[in-house]
Amino acid sequence: MTTAKSSADAPDRNKDGDVLDVLVIGGGFSGLYQLDRLRDLGFDVKVWDSAGGLGGIWWWNCYPGARTDTVGHIYQFSHKDLWKDYDFRERYPDFAGVRDYFEYVDSKLELTKDVEFNAFAAQAQWDEDAREWTVYSSDGKQQKARTVLVATGFGAKPLYPNIPGMETFAGECHHTARWPQDGLDMTGKKVVVIGTGASGVQVVQEAAHDAAEVTVFQRTPNLALPMRQRRLDRADNDAVRGDLPERFDTRYRAFAGFDFDFMPENAADATEEERRTTYERCWAEGGFPLWLGMYQDLLADEAANRTFYDFWREKVHERVKDVATAELLAPAEPPHPFGVKRPALEQDYFDVFNQDNVRLIDQNDEPVLEIVENGVVTKNGLIEADVIVLATGFDNNRGGILAIDIQGVDGERLQDKWADRVDTFMGLSTSGFPNMLFLYGPQSPSGFCNGPTSAEYQGDIVVEFLEHVRRNGHSRFESTTTAEKEWTAHVDELFEGSMFTKARSWYWGANVPGKPAQMLNYSGGVPTYFGKWDEVKTAGYREYDLS
Ligand code: N01
């Protein structure tokens, strides 16, 4: 946990009123944390966010059923004891719950006075002589800043499927991440959902309760795990708060920044009976511990992994009555090893396929060939639709950054530099683009790290680094090409030969047609990542040219 320091020691650097010390692009957990910490330290800082209000990714993702896959108590700041006064209404808050939490944080920290909403950063240009960035918004605003922090998140750029005729559809067709802010009533409607990632699973559950018909196009089965959602009252929140500080601390020591970690035992060493007992116990508890709190060899040993897959499959088949549908949802042969593609958490996802109004279609056998005025067409004819939900995911990790035309030294474009490969130092910076840092960026633990954990822990190293730069009177920092080559090789080495190669996932860009195959999420774990940064700091940030 961090404590605010007085701004009294900070030099008055903002002599030129229209040049900020720091402009943060993105006002989610990471961006807002930067705002608060840097402001306390006397930096002149503002946030630009393309959203119309607080919530970061939860402002955009307001589709029916959108909710966290992390329990609210761990999906919040530990910062400034904010957790002491906030009560979560549900164990896993929905998007409205997360927005409510952001409002609460704002009421305590007065963040929004320094946030410009509806400001999409379209371009950023580096001026070597002035040693500053100029950032332009799509609606004509401009802002100079000595440092730019890009905190756009890993899912800022929606991925749209390339289906002919999309523009001819007369009903409502929305990507889950561009859902109408006023909502969309599905009652009595015919709904087609394309995609069964975390977003698709959540929409299907909700649509199934209200819609007249729900047709789900599945390309890859989601090895979804039980959520075990429940409502929380004051007493529940008080009980959780009791040991929350210790749970926050645990996040720093756990592989994925949660308050739990893999078990120190191997599934391969356990008897069948012992494994079954463990699986049943974890199944009853539900949530991500079933993924990242299980036997330590499950994500490394394919035979061990198969024991859990078979257990999971049995559980799904117990719930889905139609054998063919159950087989599509949970095939005898795994589509990929369990857990190397992100599983969703579900409440009644598998059960709704027992309802007469819900139908599952194998997108591989019967793809959507065309969208027409009144529905979608497959090889078997027209499926009528009033609503088409594109739950097709994102150009993850780098998409939100490359959506900004970033021009660095000598006008080099980041879009060109990263066209074939992303190169960063620890996911934080890239050479040729001085005085720019990425939060939750590509090649950081990002997709393998609980968001608020990264916002705080990675946020702290960024703040500490910016203080170091300021304290030493530097006005320019840039990571070296040697450092980023070594880091990229390290990220690649961890990926190559790992089980993550066995699923076509967004972790390594396999979900986007034409995107270069490259692991974009650091899979060495949160403790290793921060241990490496400690070495960097102790050695005096030699991976950066400072001047
Ligand atoms: O996106 P996804 P998401 N035709 O990429 C399919 C976080 N998140 O929005 O698996 C047909 O996972 C695609 O098929 P396949 C979370 O980290 C968190 O669901 O590639 N289908 C897949 O089924 C998550 O992992 C929360 O074969 C197409 C789906 O669309 C990440 O965001 C909630 C297709 C996309 O799944 C992304 O999740 C939501 C096409 N052309 C999201 N293109 C919570 O915390 C893609 N697909 C709860």
Side-chain angles (χ1 to χ4, degrees):
M1 190 158 64
T2 52
T3 46
K5 291 182 195 145
S6 157
S7 61
D9 310 332
D12 177 18
R13 288 168 52 93
N14 191 31
K15 295 196 179 70
D16 182 0
D18 59 359
V19 184
L20 295 172
D21 289 325
V22 180
L23 176 67
V24 183
I25 303 175
F29 275 103
S30 284
L32 294 181
Y33 186 71
Q34 290 302 313
L35 172 62
D36 188 59
R37 290 239 32 225
L38 291 173
R39 219 170 46 178
D40 282 351
L41 291 166
F43 287 84
D44 191 23
V45 51
K46 295 256 185 287
V47 173
W48 275 15
D49 196 312
S50 56
L54 281 171
I57 201 162
W58 300 101
W59 190 85
W60 293 104
N61 286 265
C62 58
Y63 58 83
R67 70 177 63 251
T68 67
D69 274 352
T70 303
V71 290
H73 291 98
I74 292 301
Y75 198 76
Q76 67 171 326
F77 290 120
S78 61
H79 186 51
K80 289 186 174 174
D81 289 349
L82 287 163
W83 54 275
K84 284 191 172 164
D85 290 336
Y86 188 78
D87 282 357
F88 287 93
R89 293 189 296 265
E90 293 177 303
R91 196 159 170 243
Y92 293 89
D94 66 359
F95 72 90
V98 183
R99 288 178 179 193
D100 183 71
Y101 173 72
F102 273 86
E103 295 292 341
Y104 158 78
V105 171
D106 189 38
S107 74
K108 294 279 189 179
L109 304 183
E110 297 184 29
L111 299 168
T112 43
K113 66 178 179 173
D114 288 317
V115 180
E116 185 93 44
F117 291 112
N118 302 303
F120 177 78
Q123 194 178 63
Q125 283 175 341
W126 172 248
D127 180 335
E128 187 67 55
D129 295 331
R131 295 193 165 193
E132 66 195 25
W133 288 94
T134 307
V135 182
Y136 302 89
S137 74
S138 52
D139 63 350
K141 283 187 276 290
Q142 82 176 58
Q143 178 64 62
K144 290 183 189 298
R146 295 178 183 95
T147 296
V148 169
L149 302 181
V150 185
T152 44
F154 75 164
K157 187 169 179 208
L159 174 68
Y160 286 83
N162 187 12
I163 304 173
M166 197 123 64
E167 67 292 346
T168 63
F169 185 58
E172 301 261 8
C173 177
H174 302 288
H175 192 284
T176 44
R178 290 293 178 270
W179 203 256
Q181 288 294 322
D182 295 337
L184 178 58
D185 186 7
M186 298 205 184
T187 311
K189 304 254 172 69
K190 292 174 179 160
V191 179
V192 165
V193 182
I194 301 175
T196 54
S199 306
V201 164
Q202 294 182 332
V203 173
V204 168
Q205 290 175 149
E206 298 303 313
H209 299 154
D210 302 328
E213 284 175 20
V214 182
T215 308
V216 183
F217 283 87
Q218 169 191 283
R219 195 163 70 177
T220 306
N222 193 317
L223 313 188
L225 301 167
M227 175 177 267
R228 311 290 181 221
Q229 170 71 309
R230 64 186 167 81
R231 294 199 69 76
L232 301 176
D233 60 19
R234 190 76 215 254
D236 295 322
N237 276 279
D238 284 340
V240 171
R241 271 188 285 266
D243 63 353
L244 213 40
E246 292 80 41
R247 290 174 63 190
F248 284 143
D249 285 348
T250 304
R251 300 177 309 168
Y252 197 46
R253 296 188 296 274
F255 175 85
F258 288 113
D259 57 333
F260 55 83
D261 209 350
F262 295 112
M263 294 160 43
E265 295 93 29
N266 292 325
D269 299 335
T271 64
E272 204 179 324
E273 198 186 337
E274 284 165 346
R275 272 198 305 265
R276 179 99 206 169
T277 306
T278 302
Y279 292 163
E280 289 286 5
R281 176 175 50 77
C282 294
W283 194 260
E285 284 170 22
F288 276 168
L290 273 162
W291 175 32
L292 300 163
M294 285 284 265
Y295 289 113
Q296 62 178 4
D297 59 344
L298 282 193
L299 300 187
D301 172 342
E302 207 158 342
N305 187 289
R306 182 65 189 257
T307 65
F308 184 75
Y309 179 82
D310 290 342
F311 171 84
W312 171 85
R313 177 172 181 271
E314 195 185 306
K315 292 290 187 191
V316 174
H317 279 249
E318 277 169 15
R319 286 164 64 183
V320 182
K321 293 193 190 106
D322 178 64
V323 177
T325 304
E327 195 54 29
L328 253 186
L329 290 164
E333 272 311 305
H336 51 76
F338 167 76
V340 294
K341 185 166 180 169
R342 186 186 183 282
L345 295 189
E346 56 86 30
Q347 299 180 73
D348 59 354
Y349 178 66
F350 294 114
D351 310 291
V352 299
F353 290 100
N354 294 324
Q355 298 176 193
D356 293 339
N357 66 333
V358 183
R359 179 159 67 121
L360 183 64
I361 293 184
D362 180 357
Q363 162 88 11
N364 304 297
D365 172 56
E366 190 185 340
V368 177
L369 299 173
E370 191 188 359
I371 295 181
V372 292
E373 191 182 359
N374 57 339
V376 304
V377 177
T378 74
K379 68 179 183 184
N380 294 328
L382 173 73
I383 298 169
E384 287 185 9
D386 306 304
V387 179
I388 299 176
V389 183
L390 305 174
T392 44
F394 303 89
D395 177 356
N396 294 86
N397 302 114
R398 60 167 211 177
I401 300 172
L402 293 186
I404 309 165
D405 177 14
I406 301 174
Q407 300 173 20
V409 176
D410 295 331
E412 183 188 15
R413 291 195 142 84
L414 190 58
Q415 290 160 349
D416 294 333
K417 188 184 184 209
W418 283 0
D420 296 327
R421 279 188 77 67
V422 167
D423 280 313
T424 72
F425 177 59
M426 295 193 71
L428 288 165
S429 53
T430 192
S431 65
F433 297 83
N435 294 16
M436 176 172 279
L437 294 167
F438 309 114
L439 275 306
Y440 216 47
Q443 298 186 323
S444 79
S446 188
F448 299 128
C449 182
N450 178 32
T453 303
S454 179
E456 295 192 328
Y457 289 141
Q458 198 192 40
D460 286 345
I461 66 178
V462 163
V463 169
E464 211 174 30
F465 177 66
L466 292 178
E467 275 193 287
H468 172 87
V469 170
R470 180 174 74 175
R471 199 169 44 244
N472 289 283
H474 300 306
S475 57
R476 190 184 191 283
F477 63 85
E478 180 180 358
S479 48
T480 66
T481 50
T482 309
E484 72 190 30
K485 277 200 184 98
E486 283 173 10
W487 183 253
T488 301
H490 175 54
V491 174
D492 290 350
E493 190 188 357
L494 288 169
F495 175 59
E496 284 153 17
S498 78
M499 290 213 313
F500 287 104
T501 58
K502 301 200 173 215
R504 297 194 56 78
S505 78
W506 60 258
Y507 291 146
W508 53 280
N511 61 327
V512 181
K515 187 169 175 177
Q518 181 189 3
M519 182 45 127
L520 292 177
N521 295 273
Y522 177 66
S523 58
V526 165
T528 313
Y529 179 81
F530 289 105
K532 284 184 182 293
W533 182 263
D534 278 346
E535 290 168 20
V536 171
K537 186 178 114 185
T538 308
Y541 301 110
R542 285 189 307 216
E543 289 74 4
Y544 285 88
D545 288 329
L546 298 164
S547 59

